[in-house]
Every structure is written in C-alpha cells, then in structure tokens.
Amino acid sequence: MKNKTIRLFFNYLIKGTLVVLPLAGALFLMVWIVASIDSALNLSSWFWEDDAGRPLYVPGLGILTVIVLLVAVGMVFTNVVTAPIYNWFNDLINRIPLFNTLYSSIKDFTEAFVGDAKKFNEPVLVEVNETGLKKIGFLTQRDLSKIGLEGEVVVYFPYSYSFAGQVVIVKTERVKRLHMSATDAMKLVVSGGVSGLE
C-alpha cells in the first residue's frame, strides 16, 4: 500500500511537471522579454516624480512607447518616404563600417520572419552524408550562381532548444522538400524532435 502511494505521488508529480513546466517557462520568457523592453524604454521616470521627488515608473509605458514608435515609423515609411529617399537612407547606412554589417544582418533576419519576402517558409530534408544521415532545415537561397556555386543552395539548420542555427551550402540533389508547414518544421527541430508532428 505504501509503495503504491509513493508511485502514485511521483506519477502525479511528473504529470504536473509536464503540464506546468512548459507553461511556466513560456510565460516566464514572455514576461521577462516584455518587462525588459518596458523597463529599458519606459520614459515615465524622465517626466514624472512622486511626492518625495523620486522618478515615477509607470508599468506598460515602455511597451506602449515601442508600439506607437513602430506604428509611426511604419506610417512614415509607407506614406511619406519615397523609393529614392529609402535608397539614399540604405546607401548612407551601408557607408558606416561595422554598423552596416550589423544593421543589414539584423534587417535580413527580421524580414525573413515578418517581411514580405519571408525566408524560413520552405522546410527541407538534407542528406548530410553517404550513411543516410539527414537534417531538417529551411531553404533560404535557391540560386548561388552569382558566387560561382551553380547547382547549390543555402540551407539554414536551427539548433534544438535554441534560436541559434547553422548556415550550410549543399548540392541541390541532396535537398528534399518536406510536406509540412514551416511552423511545424521549426517546432520539430527546436523541440529536439518531440513536437511538430501532431
């Protein structure tokens, strides 16, 4: 009877952990990201003070500032900034050493997820070696003839349990299109293969 109670206790403990841990982890990360952004960009302490003269922190004002700023910049670049001005702006940034590398890399990575030309939307299976080892990745460039690599493509392999990844160039014939959504493929890889096939 005692052993059965202990087994039941540990069974409930494990099942509770499987329910709570992913939920708590996801909520913690979301709250941490939002709180970090809100704290870093909260301007309330610059303008308001309490009765004792200490800076007053207004929760949520940093996030609201970011949203308003992004919408305002989006409106300006959509309705006011013309193609020549946009090209001039890009040329100006491209002339600044180091900054241009960081800016263009972050810009391309951001546009790959949320821009008009999304890049991580074609999951593929790549045969890595002659033993039949295969990896799941995302086809990001189809034509490499400009750099002298005809018949080869660029594939991005995300790491499991991470947002980092690896970019490789492989022969086209080693790449096979997967019949699954990009979201499910990313979940499959990032989760270490335990989710994404539901």
Side-chain angles (χ1 to χ4, degrees), residues 49-54:
E49 296 177 345
D50 62 12
D51 296 335
R54 291 179 302 234

Short mmCIF file of all heavy atoms in Angstrom, two decimals, residues 49-54:
data_model
loop_
_atom_site.label_atom_id
_atom_site.label_comp_id
_atom_site.label_asym_id
_atom_site.label_seq_id
_atom_site.Cartn_x
_atom_site.Cartn_y
_atom_site.Cartn_z
N GLU A 49 7.62 62.57 -11.22
CA GLU A 49 8.22 62.25 -9.93
C GLU A 49 7.10 62.11 -8.91
O GLU A 49 6.03 62.71 -9.06
CB GLU A 49 9.18 63.36 -9.49
CG GLU A 49 10.38 63.54 -10.39
CD GLU A 49 11.27 64.70 -9.94
OE1 GLU A 49 10.80 65.53 -9.13
OE2 GLU A 49 12.41 64.78 -10.41
N ASP A 50 7.37 61.30 -7.86
CA ASP A 50 6.38 61.18 -6.79
C ASP A 50 6.54 62.35 -5.83
O ASP A 50 7.35 63.25 -6.05
CB ASP A 50 6.47 59.82 -6.08
CG ASP A 50 7.83 59.61 -5.42
OD1 ASP A 50 8.59 60.58 -5.30
OD2 ASP A 50 8.11 58.46 -5.02
N ASP A 51 5.80 62.34 -4.73
CA ASP A 51 5.83 63.45 -3.77
C ASP A 51 7.21 63.64 -3.13
O ASP A 51 7.56 64.75 -2.72
CB ASP A 51 4.79 63.22 -2.66
CG ASP A 51 3.37 63.23 -3.24
OD1 ASP A 51 3.18 63.86 -4.30
OD2 ASP A 51 2.48 62.61 -2.64
N ALA A 52 7.99 62.55 -3.08
CA ALA A 52 9.32 62.64 -2.47
C ALA A 52 10.39 63.05 -3.48
O ALA A 52 11.56 63.13 -3.14
CB ALA A 52 9.68 61.30 -1.82
N GLY A 53 10.01 63.27 -4.74
CA GLY A 53 10.97 63.67 -5.76
C GLY A 53 11.68 62.53 -6.45
O GLY A 53 12.64 62.74 -7.19
N ARG A 54 11.23 61.29 -6.19
CA ARG A 54 11.84 60.13 -6.85
C ARG A 54 11.17 59.91 -8.20
O ARG A 54 9.98 60.17 -8.37
CB ARG A 54 11.65 58.88 -5.98
CG ARG A 54 12.46 58.91 -4.69
CD ARG A 54 12.21 57.66 -3.90
NE ARG A 54 10.80 57.54 -3.61
CZ ARG A 54 10.28 57.39 -2.40
NH1 ARG A 54 11.06 57.31 -1.35
NH2 ARG A 54 8.98 57.29 -2.23
#
